[in-house]
Amino acid sequence: MRSIFLFLFLFSQCTVELKKNYLPLYVTLILGNVGSAQNPSPSESASLVSTDFFSTETLAPILISKTRKLGVIMSGEMSKDCKLSFSEVVTESTVSLSDDLKTIYFTPLTTGWPVKLDSVHYIKFASCKDAKGNSVNSTGTGAPIYIADTVTYVDSKGSDSQDGKETTPVATITKGIEIASQGCAGACALAVKGGEYTLSTTLSIPANVSIFGGFDPSDWKKRRADKTTLSPYDTIINNTETNVSGTGTDPYGTIKYNTFTGTKEKSILDGLIVNGPSTATASSFVAAIAAKDIQVSSGITIRNTIALDKSTTASVTSAGFVSTNNLGAIVISNSKLNGSTTSAATSPRYGIVYSLFPAGASISVDSSDIDAGVSTQNSYGFFPTGATKTGTISLTNNTISGPSCTACNSVGVGIDATTASAVTLTSNSISGRTGTNTFGIEIITATSPTISKNTISSGTATALSTGIRVAGASASITENTISATSGTNSYGIEVTTGANHFIDKNIFTIGQGGSTTTHGINISGVATPITVSNNTMTVGTSASVGVLSGILKNANGVTITISGNTITVASCGSNCGNTRALSLGGGGGTGVSNVSNNVLNGGSSQVGETIYCNNDNTYSITGNTITGASCFNPTCSGTGIDVGFAATITISNNTITLSPCQGTSCSQKGIRMAAASVYTVTGNTIDTGPSSANTTARKGLEINNWVSGSSIQQNTIINQTGVGNPTAVDVVSAVANSLRFCSNVLIGGGRTDAGNAVTLSLAQMSGGARFNGNTITGGSVSSGLSYPVNLVSNAGYTGFQFDQNIIYGHPSSIASTTCMRENAASTYQTLVLNNFTNCSTLYNENGIIRNTLCTSGQVGNLSTGDATCGTGNMMAPTGLNNVSVATTFTNFAANDLHLTSGPTTLMAGADITVFNTACGNLLDRDGNTRSAGTAIGAYR
């Protein structure tokens, strides 16, 4: 048993006896296993007999007329019980057999086979029986075929004196059109053999006439029509006309549709190579194929066609295809459309230019190559333009390139259309090619374009390379791969105007060899709101220089939501000046930035902030995983989150890890708060990162300024072992406004070189600051002192609370630890209910050592040890109920500071109310409600 093949013979109206005098047109179908092809056994079904077949997989569908007979040669005798189907629909026809009963003939009824030129029919036979009653049916997709009302045959070796029949073809396409259009009211088609056909003037296509090229020059059996493999049956149309002239509204075309009333289902170009004229008058508008004034409800289809303008005139505006004043529908499929490749071109070049299309007009381009050619003027691969442009544009599965452009802009796709949802770009490969400035896509004045699943490259620029520029649009940009890797400035997406932009699930690769800026997304104008979500972005390379940002928002009044993205900025060391995953702000301080659930890596540079809050009005930074920018220069700084301008800011539930400091005295900070702002910093975990061989000044949190109402609560800040003078929390400046610093866990890092280690460093405190309910541990030291809490200002401290904290020295450095150091005269509002433990010195009062506890009077005061505790109190006005009681944590070495035992007898019920009043909540670091006996420190 073996697979067998079906061959359909296509016959003109003729008698069966004459079938051998006709050239059979073979169409191959694969059948199932129905017996031996050459010698079927008596009990098996009849099967095909043939030794002359070819595969249809690399060949184009055949064109026939609707009245043509179809024949099938079988290996054995057949009955008339057989039917023919077109695209799975059985078509009524008469069935007859040859004298030997081995050939089945299908003859259409009076109405003919179903006409279809815009898409292919698949022909199969079904419900057939052989002479013995066995079923013989075709399987698989079927043989592809186009069907026209009439077919006129054109062969360059024919004669225009003939009638255009299959055996008597005409020689020219012009004559073929003349014959085809005479008395044909339906779908009239030309079948054109491979060869060269010369035109000395524009070929004007009448309504309802289609041209199918690519037929085998030796006979009509085979046809090839594909934009990449037209050979060996190329049907080439050359234009010898010189000095042609056209305008933007009435362009010249080798093939032209003028005031056209045909339909896209019946007006088709298929399987042609169309070349434009060689010369044109200055400033002319010239194309290989042109359409002017396609009327309402009309249209054309260009399929399997190569169109190349060959004008050598430098000042000509050139296109592979141009349409103007379109009111109908244009379909372009599996074609190749090129503007001129003349290197000296001084006018724009286009692969396709589509002009003046009102509402209701449409153009659909799929699976095509579109190339603008070569120019010295701003040019586009695909460009819709004109004063009236509100129709529908759809580009799918195409390869689209801007021009090779000298000292000008090269753009893959320009979108200049205004109707909502008018433009859809899906699954294309789009490039700006080469130029001074290059853009994969430039959205000029479109509203609501949809750009999805494309591969978009800016091309190669000397100045600015941009994947997508968005202006005046509400753009949906999703699931694209976007790259911009050249020029002094490189942007994945640049947004200048518009609103409601949605940028989601894209992959960005942005890097450049220039010296200025590289941004994944650059928001440079007023465009609000914008959503940037679920993107993966890599910005810059190790060789990058200048400023690098994942997202730069430098626009006043913009609301942006940034969520679920993974953004990695390059480690470019001392080459680049600044690296930021997010740089968010604007000139007026009225914008809103919402940043949530992103993975952000700030890279490395001379100065780097993973998130830079730059003069927006409101920030919400929540649930992100942030790697602080690494710092290379000796005195540079790298920060996880940097707030340099006044704003209302919420930073909550983020994980921030600092990178190593590579300089000799650089400054690394998890969060830096420098502006007079209202801060809410809650539930974050900040890790100062791995140790460095160089001196560092890493800080988990640096507070330079704040405004009343600011709150820093329920955070864990870990200072890892290293060198230099790292600090877990550094309150640098004295600010009179209130600050709630409560329920935090501060873990001091060890220091391996000589020097002191500090966990919480406080400048002059005043104005009602509250440091309550925290757990603060000291770091280990090799040579120096460890201070879990260090009051560093030389001025007096007044009016702040420091209550209900656990201050705990590192077990390895108890002898060198002072739990709390006062480096100036301090006047507390309260210093009560703290537990000082694991320290050789409990309190250093401005140089006076306080190591013992009062045993009478005001129980729990730290004092000099005198019996009355009168003059020995070191805090004024009060320092009450502070103790030194051994505290045990769950796993100190692993930074798990939950209490397993400790000072549980300190708290009374009223103390919870005091804590709540100070901190504004009853929650510990885990978010659990505090209760009497377990409220001290950050954890139960």
Side-chain angles (χ1 to χ4, degrees):
M1 305 293 284
R2 67 174 185 174
S3 295
I4 62 174
F5 300 86
L6 163 69
F7 294 85
L8 294 181
F9 286 96
L10 310 182
F11 291 90
S12 299
Q13 295 293 341
C14 61
T15 64
V16 174
E17 291 75 14
L18 297 178
K19 65 182 179 66
K20 293 184 178 179
N21 295 325
Y22 284 81
L23 295 175
L25 190 58
Y26 295 119
V27 182
T28 304
L29 291 177
I30 299 177
L31 303 183
N33 294 324
V34 296
S36 171
Q38 302 299 324
N39 297 295
S41 64
S43 62
E44 292 178 326
S45 302
S47 59
L48 171 76
V49 173
S50 177
T51 59
D52 179 19
F53 68 93
F54 57 87
S55 170
T56 60
E57 294 178 355
T58 59
L59 297 171
I62 295 298
L63 172 70
I64 67 168
S65 72
K66 68 179 182 180
T67 59
R68 193 157 193 176
K69 286 184 179 181
L70 303 178
V72 182
I73 300 177
M74 306 301 290
S75 64
E77 295 180 353
M78 300 294 294
S79 72
K80 292 183 180 180
D81 187 6
C82 198
K83 295 180 180 179
L84 193 66
S85 68
F86 292 82
S87 301
E88 306 297 338
V89 177
V90 175
T91 300
E92 292 296 327
S93 61
T94 61
V95 180
S96 59
L97 293 174
S98 62
D99 291 341
D100 60 4
L101 305 182
K102 293 184 179 181
T103 302
I104 306 173
Y105 298 101
F106 298 93
T107 304
L109 300 181
T110 304
T111 55
W113 305 126
V115 173
K116 184 176 284 292
L117 293 177
D118 59 325
S119 60
V120 73
H121 272 310
Y122 287 95
I123 305 174
K124 295 167 45 173
F125 67 92
S127 303
C128 296
K129 296 183 182 301
D130 65 11
K132 298 175 184 177
N134 297 309
S135 294
V136 182
N137 295 312
S138 58
T139 61
T141 302
I145 194 167
Y146 295 119
I147 301 178
D149 282 288
T150 66
V151 177
T152 302
Y153 293 87
V154 182
D155 182 349
S156 60
K157 298 180 176 63
S159 171
D160 280 355
S161 64
Q162 300 186 131
D163 57 8
K165 301 296 184 182
E166 181 178 340
T167 56
T168 54
V170 296
T172 65
I173 294 174
T174 303
K175 184 62 176 180
I177 288 176
E178 178 186 329
I179 294 173
S181 60
Q182 292 173 355
C184 177
C188 318
L190 269 62
V192 186
K193 282 188 175 182
E196 294 198 26
Y197 297 84
T198 299
L199 298 176
S200 59
T201 187
T202 293
L203 179 63
S204 184
I205 306 294
N208 303 338
V209 172
S210 298
I211 303 176
F212 287 77
F215 284 88
D216 185 349
S218 63
D219 55 40
W220 300 101
K221 291 180 181 180
K222 298 187 287 279
R223 177 174 179 261
R224 186 182 294 280
D226 183 273
K227 67 182 179 188
T228 56
T229 55
L230 287 169
S231 62
Y233 313 142
D234 294 354
T235 298
I236 303 170
I237 299 176
N238 291 319
N239 190 333
T240 61
E241 192 172 5
T242 60
N243 296 321
V244 301
S245 181
T247 66
T249 57
D250 187 10
Y252 179 91
T254 295
I255 292 179
K256 189 169 183 179
Y257 296 88
N258 198 358
T259 316
F260 197 71
T261 58
T263 66
K264 61 184 177 63
E265 294 80 17
K266 297 180 181 179
S267 304
I268 297 167
L269 296 182
D270 189 318
L272 303 174
I273 298 175
V274 183
N275 293 318
S278 60
T279 62
T281 58
S283 303
S284 283
F285 204 113
V286 174
I289 304 173
K292 176 195 174 187
D293 295 335
I294 296 180
Q295 300 299 294
V296 175
S297 301
S298 299
I300 60 174
T301 296
I302 300 172
R303 186 173 58 204
N304 305 317
T305 291
I306 296 175
L308 172 63
D309 182 65
K310 287 195 169 184
S311 174
T312 58
T313 307
S315 60
V316 168
T317 299
S318 166
F321 171 76
V322 60
S323 171
T324 62
N325 302 310
N326 179 45
L327 299 171
I330 296 173
V331 176
I332 300 174
S333 178
N334 201 47
S335 294
K336 192 170 185 178
L337 307 168
N338 291 4
S340 176
T341 57
T342 302
S343 59
T346 58
S347 292
R349 297 290 195 237
Y350 306 97
I352 297 176
V353 61
Y354 181 56
S355 178
L356 303 172
F357 45 99
S362 68
I363 184 169
S364 173
V365 185
D366 74 271
S367 305
S368 296
D369 296 341
I370 305 168
D371 192 327
V374 178
S375 184
T376 61
Q377 300 296 310
N378 297 348
S379 299
Y380 301 80
F382 177 89
F383 188 54
T385 185
T388 304
K389 44 187 182 303
T390 57
T392 300
I393 298 171
S394 175
L395 306 179
T396 307
N397 294 315
N398 302 287
T399 299
I400 307 172
S401 301
S404 296
C405 189
T406 304
C408 57
N409 295 346
S410 176
V411 184
V413 175
I415 302 176
D416 184 11
T418 56
T419 293
S421 303
V423 181
T424 302
L425 276 65
T426 306
S427 302
N428 302 283
S429 178
I430 303 171
S431 174
R433 192 173 267 174
T434 61
T436 302
N437 303 307
T438 59
F439 306 91
I441 299 173
E442 184 179 24
I443 304 171
I444 302 170
T445 58
T447 302
S448 301
T450 298
I451 303 170
S452 66
K453 299 180 181 178
N454 302 281
T455 299
I456 303 166
S457 170
S458 66
T460 303
T462 56
L464 171 63
S465 66
T466 303
I468 304 175
R469 171 179 277 182
V470 181
S474 174
S476 175
I477 303 172
T478 62
E479 297 183 76
N480 302 283
T481 299
I482 302 170
S483 63
T485 56
S486 64
T488 55
N489 302 289
S490 295
Y491 310 143
I493 296 176
E494 180 183 19
V495 179
T496 60
T497 56
N500 298 306
H501 300 305
F502 181 65
I503 303 171
D504 181 72
K505 296 185 181 69
N506 302 283
I507 299 174
F508 292 79
T509 302
I510 314 300
Q512 50 93 343
S515 58
T516 309
T517 59
T518 300
H519 306 303
I521 300 175
N522 178 22
I523 303 168
S524 60
V526 176
T528 187
I530 298 174
T531 298
V532 181
S533 55
N534 305 310
N535 301 282
T536 300
M537 187 181 299
T538 302
V539 181
T541 66
S542 60
S544 293
V545 295
V547 176
L548 276 63
S549 300
I551 300 175
L552 170 65
K553 187 182 78 168
N554 188 25
N556 181 32
V558 172
T559 295
I560 188 169
T561 298
I562 302 170
S563 64
N565 303 282
T566 298
I567 301 176
T568 303
V569 182
S571 295
C572 50
S574 58
N575 292 322
C576 54
N578 185 284
T579 57
R580 293 167 177 163
L582 305 177
S583 181
L584 306 173
T590 59
V592 177
S593 292
N594 300 306
V595 181
S596 63
N597 302 314
N598 302 281
V599 177
L600 307 172
N601 189 325
S604 63
S605 62
Q606 299 179 55
V607 178
E609 301 94 357
T610 304
I611 301 179
Y612 183 53
C613 301
N614 177 26
N615 204 21
D616 264 349
N617 182 64
T618 303
Y619 293 93
S620 175
I621 303 173
T622 306
N624 303 281
T625 300
I626 300 169
T627 301
S630 181
C631 192
F632 265 80
N633 277 8
T635 58
C636 72
S637 62
T639 310
I641 301 175
D642 191 300
V643 184
F645 294 85
T648 298
I649 185 165
T650 299
I651 303 173
S652 62
N653 301 312
N654 302 282
T655 299
I656 304 172
T657 304
L658 298 185
S659 298
C661 187
Q662 304 297 325
T664 56
S665 60
C666 60
S667 177
Q668 300 286 90
K669 305 176 182 69
I671 300 176
R672 173 180 175 264
M673 302 188 299
S677 301
V678 178
Y679 295 99
T680 301
V681 182
T682 306
N684 302 282
T685 298
I686 304 173
D687 190 325
T688 61
S691 61
S692 168
N694 301 308
T695 302
T696 68
R698 286 179 293 160
K699 300 175 183 179
L701 173 63
E702 179 180 282
I703 308 172
N704 289 298
N705 211 333
W706 65 86
V707 171
S708 291
S710 294
S711 173
I712 300 173
Q713 302 197 46
Q714 297 177 269
N715 303 283
T716 297
I717 302 174
I718 305 169
N719 208 8
Q720 298 284 7
T721 298
V723 296
N725 188 28
T727 307
V729 175
D730 189 4
V731 183
V732 178
S733 303
V735 178
N737 296 312
S738 64
L739 172 67
R740 291 172 173 172
F741 191 99
C742 305
S743 302
N744 301 287
V745 178
L746 311 182
I747 300 174
R751 183 165 180 177
T752 57
D753 62 336
N756 301 331
V758 177
T759 305
L760 172 63
S761 178
L762 299 178
Q764 178 180 336
M765 290 291 104
S766 62
R770 306 289 185 258
F771 289 81
N772 290 13
N774 303 285
T775 298
I776 305 168
T777 73
S780 62
V781 291
S782 60
S783 177
L785 298 175
S786 176
Y787 300 114
V789 180
N790 190 28
L791 310 179
V792 298
S793 174
N794 291 323
Y797 287 72
T798 59
F800 77 101
Q801 293 180 1
F802 196 92
D803 302 341
Q804 300 167 322
N805 302 285
I806 294 176
I807 298 95
Y808 183 87
H810 195 282
S812 69
S813 303
I814 295 174
S816 302
T817 300
T818 296
C819 275
M820 193 166 185
R821 177 196 185 201
E822 174 192 324
N823 196 26
S826 298
T827 303
Y828 296 89
Q829 181 176 337
T830 60
L831 180 71
V832 299
L833 298 170
N834 299 286
N835 183 41
F836 299 88
T837 185
N838 257 35
C839 306
S840 60
T841 298
L842 300 182
Y843 197 98
N844 184 323
E845 184 188 355
N846 204 14
I848 301 173
I849 304 300
R850 310 293 190 183
N851 288 325
T852 59
L853 296 173
C854 180
T855 57
S856 63
Q858 299 178 6
V859 176
N861 295 312
L862 293 172
S863 82
T864 57
D866 62 300
T868 63
C869 293
T871 59
N873 297 328
M874 81 294 187
M875 295 93 172
T878 56
L880 302 175
N881 300 319
N882 300 288
V883 296
S884 180
V885 178
T887 299
T888 304
F889 300 107
T890 299
N891 190 340
F892 183 87
N895 295 325
D896 185 349
L897 304 190
H898 290 85
L899 290 173
T900 56
S901 64
T904 59
T905 60
L906 281 174
M907 307 300 296
D911 297 324
I912 300 300
T913 302
V914 172
F915 183 90
N916 186 43
T917 301
C919 295
N921 67 70
L922 292 170
L923 303 180
D924 67 8
R925 173 61 182 86
D926 284 335
N928 298 314
T929 302
R930 292 178 180 273
S931 61
T934 59
I936 195 168
Y939 286 119
R940 289 187 174 209

